[in-house]
Amino acid sequence: MTTTTSSSTSSPPPLLHTYKVPRHTPLNRIFAVVYTTAIFSLFVHHFINLLHSSSTTTFLLHFTLLFSDGILSFMWATTQAFRWRPIHRTVYTENLSQVISSRDYPKLDVFICTADPYKEPPMGVVNTALSVMAYDYPPDKISVYISDDGGSELTLFAFMEAAKFAAHWLPFCKVNNVEDRSPAVYFSSGHYTPTTQTEELKMMYDTMKMKVESVVERGSVADEYIKTDEQREAFNKWTAEFTRQNHPTVIQVLLENGKDTDITGLEMPNLVYVSRQKSKASHHHFKAGALNVLLRISATMTNAPVILTLDCDMYANDPSTPLQSLCFLADSKMSKYAYVQFPQRFHGINKNDIYGGENKRLYQINPVGMDGLAGTSYVGSGAFFRRRAFFGGPSSYVSAEKPELNPDYAADKVIHSEVVLKMAHSVASCEFENGSKWGHKIGFRYGSLVEDYFTGYQLNCEGWDSVFYHPDRAAFWGDTPISFDGSLSQNKRWSVGTLEVAFSKYTPIIFGTKARGILMGLAYSHYAFWGTWCIPITVYAFIPQLALLNGVSPFPKVSDPWFYLYVFLILGSYMQDCLDFMSMGGTFQRWWNDQRMWLVRGISSYLFASIDFLAESFGVSSFGFNITSKVVDDEQNKHYEQGVFEFGVASPLFVPLTMTSIISFVAFSVGVTRVILGNEKMEEILIQLVLSGFWMVNCWPVYEAMLLRSDRGRMSLKTTIISSILAFALYSVSCCLSFRI
């Protein structure tokens, strides 16, 4: 099927984009019906066991398995929404000139967020900004806004240096048709020709990098680096009273279109540094609050109809990406589409992706499925938005309190003018949103730690659709955590945020289904109820093994016809998951590590996230936004490259994983010994032995870290001791319960 631009009476309009549905889609639907029948049969089996329970303990054992399988079934049902109608899109940027000339391209505002110069090194943020400033797009149409939520003079200094380097870098990219427009990537690739010009430019970049890193290491900007009165006036704002959580608004225009030119005399994009006002008494709404400030400040300065949001480490990898997005946004038939989402892709991932950092299912597989329904979810970076989408649904416009903030406002004043800067400072104040519609009806939405998921979901419920486009050449490359604890902590934060949505009045299973239908409701529910994975995964990590140790078998024996139902359900689910993964370019080894991380997150990230969410619901504790560090030491990096898990941190997230590794090993050993000695029949405990062995195979890195390694990445003795004590305590409780069976 084909989607094109507006029709013409004389000739068909030029083709801007097409899509196709994979040929295996009907097979997915047939399998879904068959598998659903098998799930209902499983529930029949569970109810039969409940009816024939000989004691309260037996009843509770079978009820626990029934409850766990119920959650597994629900989560499986949510994945069917992604498989119902996936589509793959193609764009034709070569036809764009027939629809819109370059001088009529819409203005583009780019929002880049950073929050900590030590966890998110300023040079990484600088490379991201330079890569988008060098897009194959009219420079007078681009404005880059840097949100520094850490309020750091170090970040401001880095961008002052970047502004000077940009005057040389941007024309160099255009003249030489450079594809890698992040200077760090270009100069480290070794693909460039070492001419006099490139060597001089590389020397300039290295000098800038050395100065910025020197300032970061020092922790302040030395007087020797302050060259002008304007710079001194800017840095004078960092007084003794200026702290990360309590400081005034800082807005610094570093490059101004129409005023600043590059070394060839051509105009340069706008570059604006922003640190919103912070007050200890105000709620800052984390990243969503920072984005809303950028939304308002940019409205007063440039008010571009198209907005690109980027994480600070997601540099642009393809200079034609804005044109690819225009193939959708310039299509009059797609006026109800709020944004074009490009996948997040990550460089530096080791060969087999041991921590599942690629998140292929989240960033590539599932979005393809949602795109065939009513549009993909927003994943926080790499999305081109219509500004209009932040002001109500396609047919339900919500006006801002100030007319200057509305998407139809003509921002035609010089951005450095006093009146514009005064207005920009005003809309960045802590008090501006008090009693307003911002974060609720206008802008990026508050109410969840994962503001990206919640914002995309809310826009979709308001009637907006969206597009997922996965080009052959990655549009953006970014960083992913390469430490085990960092990866688990990131997923814990995401899970807390999605649970906030799941158990709110906006729960997708009800609110989302009413707004956009059952399939979209299920798709968004898959993310919202992420945290509930902890229940079935934790149950199957401990209950079958403990039952085996106590001589109890809650599963059918091999000669029982019900046994083959379990075989079909387990193998069918895993095989389909593997095929989905590999059909999107994954390898079997990466899939294996991805499913291993799903299990690990279930008894760590999801479990602790659920505990945190419940505690917060009862007002016991408070969770916050934790920045994932982009900095790693040499040994960590070495272990990651070798595919070796890093357990060096004594993290509580490792305790349940270590417990199940111990219990599974003991259960498997005891079970095999009993079979060899003739005390147990293999056919009666085969499922429990398989489950114990499966956990053992997945936990091999844990055994290695506890027993075989002596480097800094080994399991800490404290974690091993605590896990062993808790595992023994859990076994003791199970023994007490088994006496009642």
Side-chain angles (χ1 to χ4, degrees):
M1 296 184 68
T2 300
T3 307
T4 63
T5 58
S6 56
S7 60
S8 170
T9 55
S10 56
S11 61
L15 203 63
L16 292 182
H17 53 88
T18 58
Y19 68 80
K20 63 179 181 180
V21 178
R23 277 184 273 184
H24 64 261
T25 300
L27 295 178
N28 281 342
R29 298 176 182 179
I30 294 171
F31 182 78
V33 173
V34 174
Y35 201 86
T36 301
T37 303
I39 288 175
F40 280 120
S41 300
L42 177 66
F43 288 144
V44 170
H45 176 63
H46 278 309
F47 283 120
I48 291 173
N49 285 334
L50 287 174
L51 290 173
H52 292 85
S53 297
S54 58
S55 67
T56 303
T57 304
T58 306
F59 181 88
L60 289 175
L61 175 60
H62 287 297
F63 180 80
T64 301
L65 293 175
L66 169 62
F67 184 64
S68 299
D69 287 345
I71 294 175
L72 283 175
S73 300
F74 170 72
M75 294 303 288
W76 177 85
T78 64
T79 63
Q80 299 318 297
F82 305 124
R83 293 169 175 147
W84 194 255
R85 189 177 178 269
I87 62 174
H88 298 276
R89 297 184 182 270
T90 303
V91 299
Y92 305 95
T93 54
E94 64 274 14
N95 294 338
L96 196 60
S97 60
Q98 301 177 46
V99 178
I100 181 172
S101 64
S102 59
R103 67 174 179 271
D104 294 325
Y105 286 167
K107 290 193 294 184
L108 171 65
D109 285 346
V110 183
F111 297 169
I112 301 174
C113 295
T114 184
D116 189 323
Y118 296 102
K119 290 186 177 181
E120 299 169 336
M123 279 308 300
V125 193
V126 162
N127 275 283
T128 296
L130 289 171
S131 68
V132 294
M133 291 170 69
Y135 267 147
D136 284 339
Y137 206 77
D140 60 313
K141 302 281 188 176
I142 299 178
S143 300
V144 177
Y145 294 86
I146 309 298
S147 171
D148 176 18
D149 232 26
S152 174
E153 61 180 322
L154 311 179
T155 304
L156 175 57
F157 173 77
F159 275 93
M160 285 181 173
E161 293 299 306
K164 292 183 284 187
F165 179 73
H168 301 266
W169 176 247
L170 304 191
F172 174 80
C173 291
K174 301 292 176 64
V175 171
N176 296 281
N177 198 27
V178 173
E179 283 195 322
D180 297 321
R181 301 201 175 176
S182 161
V185 175
Y186 178 75
F187 291 124
S188 64
S189 66
H191 297 154
Y192 67 91
T193 305
T195 63
T196 302
Q197 184 186 21
T198 55
E199 290 303 312
E200 287 179 354
L201 197 60
K202 186 177 185 300
M203 188 178 297
M204 289 177 60
Y205 176 76
D206 289 340
T207 301
M208 174 182 67
K209 182 180 178 182
M210 181 183 65
K211 288 170 66 175
V212 171
E213 291 179 347
S214 172
V215 164
V216 172
E217 185 177 355
R218 177 190 175 109
S220 61
V221 182
D223 288 342
E224 63 190 85
Y225 292 134
I226 302 176
K227 304 297 184 182
T228 66
D229 291 339
E230 185 179 6
Q231 289 180 342
R232 185 169 300 280
E233 182 182 352
F235 289 118
N236 282 342
K237 295 171 184 174
W238 274 266
T239 62
E241 291 77 28
F242 193 112
T243 66
R244 179 188 176 92
Q245 296 299 332
N246 191 17
H247 63 78
T249 299
V250 179
I251 300 175
Q252 197 71 24
V253 178
L254 303 173
L255 288 175
E256 184 176 345
N257 183 256
K259 174 185 175 185
D260 294 299
T261 59
D262 61 33
I263 58 172
T264 64
L266 296 178
E267 289 183 286
M268 297 183 71
N270 294 314
L271 179 62
V272 184
Y273 169 91
V274 175
S275 183
R276 57 178 171 149
Q277 183 188 16
K278 287 284 190 73
S279 169
K280 293 180 180 178
S282 301
H283 193 350
H284 302 134
H285 299 292
F286 306 114
K287 187 178 176 182
L291 286 168
N292 277 336
V293 169
L294 289 186
L295 194 61
R296 295 194 295 270
I297 289 177
S298 64
T300 65
M301 291 185 166
T302 49
N303 209 31
V306 179
I307 293 169
L308 166 63
T309 62
L310 278 182
D311 283 343
C312 63
D313 62 325
M314 295 293 294
Y315 68 83
N317 183 61
D318 187 343
S320 69
T321 299
L323 304 184
Q324 295 170 6
S325 71
L326 282 187
C327 286
F328 302 106
L329 297 177
D331 186 346
S332 60
K333 290 185 178 179
M334 304 189 79
S335 59
K336 284 184 60 179
Y337 283 71
Y339 55 89
V340 179
Q341 176 69 65
F342 289 82
Q344 287 199 30
R345 298 177 67 179
F346 306 98
H347 57 74
I349 293 178
N350 63 11
K351 180 182 177 182
N352 294 322
D353 191 15
I354 58 172
Y355 299 144
E358 185 181 22
N359 280 304
K360 184 178 284 289
R361 193 162 286 97
L362 172 63
Y363 294 133
Q364 297 178 38
I365 299 174
N366 293 352
V368 167
M370 292 185 76
D371 195 14
L373 302 176
T376 184
S377 59
Y378 168 44
V379 295
S381 185
F384 289 80
F385 283 90
R386 295 184 195 274
R387 184 181 289 266
R388 166 66 182 83
F390 293 110
F391 295 83
S395 57
S396 56
Y397 182 76
V398 178
S399 179
E401 291 76 6
K402 292 181 178 290
E404 295 88 350
L405 302 181
N406 289 324
D408 54 357
Y409 170 69
D412 51 6
K413 297 182 177 66
V414 178
I415 65 173
H416 214 158
S417 66
E418 184 178 347
V419 63
V420 169
L421 288 177
K422 182 178 179 181
M423 175 64 74
H425 279 80
S426 171
V427 299
S429 69
C430 291
E431 295 78 23
F432 183 82
E433 293 186 356
N434 292 345
S436 73
K437 301 171 185 175
W438 285 91
H440 307 286
K441 298 293 184 182
I442 301 176
F444 295 85
R445 305 307 162 85
Y446 306 149
S448 170
L449 281 175
V450 281
E451 80 298 322
D452 48 0
Y453 163 80
F454 193 45
T455 297
Y457 168 58
Q458 287 279 59
L459 294 181
N460 201 257
C461 289
E462 289 172 1
W464 292 101
D465 293 338
S466 57
V467 169
F468 178 73
Y469 179 54
H470 191 336
D472 293 332
R473 180 178 173 87
F476 305 97
W477 282 112
D479 295 322
T480 190
I482 64 170
S483 71
F484 195 24
D485 181 61
S487 175
L488 295 179
S489 296
Q490 182 185 66
N491 276 271
K492 174 176 171 285
R493 175 170 59 83
W494 290 348
S495 299
V496 171
T498 54
L499 284 171
E500 289 175 319
V501 180
F503 294 97
S504 71
K505 66 179 181 180
Y506 297 109
T507 180
I509 200 64
I510 298 174
F511 185 88
T513 297
K514 286 182 178 179
R516 296 309 303 257
I518 183 64
L519 289 176
M520 285 300 288
L522 286 173
Y524 276 110
S525 293
H526 179 78
Y527 299 121
F529 290 94
W530 248 3
T532 62
W533 280 121
C534 71
I535 297 174
I537 292 176
T538 302
V539 165
Y540 279 102
F542 293 104
I543 299 299
Q545 293 86 331
L546 292 170
L548 178 59
L549 287 171
N550 286 283
V552 178
S553 179
F555 301 106
K557 56 186 179 181
V558 175
S559 58
D560 191 328
W562 290 111
F563 172 83
Y564 299 99
L565 174 65
Y566 277 85
V567 172
F568 172 74
L569 287 170
I570 294 171
L571 292 183
S573 176
Y574 265 89
M575 288 178 66
Q576 186 180 37
D577 188 73
C578 181
L579 290 173
D580 283 348
F581 193 92
M582 296 179 71
S583 69
M584 288 296 287
T587 64
F588 179 82
Q589 188 62 52
R590 285 201 171 196
W591 169 79
W592 174 263
N593 286 324
D594 186 79
Q595 70 81 30
R596 187 215 311 265
M597 286 304 299
W598 169 67
L599 293 173
V600 170
R601 290 166 187 155
I603 55 174
S604 57
S605 305
Y606 303 154
L607 178 61
F608 279 83
S610 299
I611 294 170
D612 275 7
F613 173 73
L614 287 173
E616 174 67 16
S617 299
F618 289 105
V620 176
S621 65
S622 175
F623 42 71
F625 181 86
N626 296 314
I627 302 165
T628 305
S629 178
K630 310 300 190 297
V631 182
V632 293
D633 60 40
D634 292 338
E635 185 171 351
Q636 245 185 6
N637 191 63
K638 180 182 176 182
H639 288 162
Y640 182 73
E641 287 300 319
Q642 294 172 342
V644 177
F645 278 68
E646 187 77 25
F647 290 94
V649 180
S651 171
L653 290 168
F654 298 156
V655 172
L657 176 61
T658 310
M659 287 174 62
T660 193
S661 69
I662 294 171
I663 290 176
S664 294
F665 175 77
V666 174
F668 185 82
S669 302
V670 170
V672 170
T673 301
R674 287 175 180 170
V675 170
I676 293 173
L677 296 177
N679 298 328
E680 291 273 10
K681 292 182 179 180
M682 174 70 80
E683 71 160 6
E684 293 180 349
I685 61 171
L686 181 59
I687 292 180
Q688 286 160 285
L689 282 177
V690 170
L691 287 173
S692 300
F694 185 68
W695 273 103
M696 284 175 59
V697 173
N698 279 286
C699 288
W700 172 250
V702 182
Y703 301 130
E704 226 179 13
M706 284 195 298
L707 305 172
L708 304 178
R709 290 170 60 182
S710 58
D711 54 68
R712 275 172 40 194
R714 67 185 182 279
M715 185 74 74
S716 73
L717 183 60
K718 178 181 177 182
T719 301
T720 302
I721 292 174
I722 292 174
S723 302
S724 300
I725 293 172
L726 291 175
F728 181 75
L730 192 61
Y731 169 69
S732 300
V733 171
S734 72
C735 287
C736 294
L737 292 174
S738 69
F739 289 134
R740 302 177 186 177
I741 296 178

